[in-house]
């Protein structure tokens, strides 16, 4: 990246792509890109955030993924309720 403004634009673009693909993967169970491509986007975002000090609390690089765990816990609770009911 040549300047901070270009880095900011790229960071926002990458965040949007990652969030969109998180939704496809976790919420819809319908991935649109390969794991390798997702990892490449994530690494590029992380590198830019670090290089240009653009890390924000809402960035995908700052969260603990909870999509699958939320589904697993929900399914487990439903199953446990059925067993107990």
């Amino acid at each position: 990246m040549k300047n901070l403004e270009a880095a900011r634009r790229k960071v926002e673009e990458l965040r949007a792509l990652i969030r969109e693909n998180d939704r496809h993967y976790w919420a819809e169970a319908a991935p649109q890109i390969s794991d390798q491509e997702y990892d490449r986007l994530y690494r590029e975002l992380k590198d830019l955030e670090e290089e240009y000090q653009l890390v924000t609390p809402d960035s995908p690089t700052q969260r603990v993924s909870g999509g699958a765990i939320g589904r697993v816990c929900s399914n487990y609770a439903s199953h446990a309720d059925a067993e107990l009911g």
Side-chain angles (χ1 to χ4, degrees):
M1 290 285 133
K2 291 190 177 192
N3 64 50
L4 182 58
E5 194 53 43
R8 280 191 180 120
R9 283 192 302 272
K10 186 64 175 179
V11 162
E12 288 307 316
E13 175 187 327
L14 290 166
R15 287 176 180 171
L17 279 169
I18 289 169
R19 288 182 184 121
E20 177 183 350
N21 282 286
D22 284 345
R23 181 178 52 80
H24 287 299
Y25 187 89
W26 295 111
E28 300 170 7
Q32 303 295 305
I33 61 174
S34 69
D35 289 348
Q36 294 81 10
E37 178 64 10
Y38 182 94
D39 292 345
R40 187 194 65 74
L41 294 171
Y42 186 91
R43 279 191 307 272
E44 184 178 1
L45 173 59
K46 189 167 179 68
D47 290 347
L48 284 171
E49 286 178 339
E50 290 173 2
E51 181 178 349
Y52 290 93
Q53 299 179 6
L54 296 171
V55 176
T56 60
D58 65 331
S59 174
T61 64
Q62 300 304 299
R63 70 165 193 277
V64 176
S65 179
I69 293 191
R71 274 201 311 254
V72 169
C73 290
S74 174
N75 290 343
Y76 178 78
S78 297
H79 179 73
D81 288 345
E83 291 290 317
L84 294 173

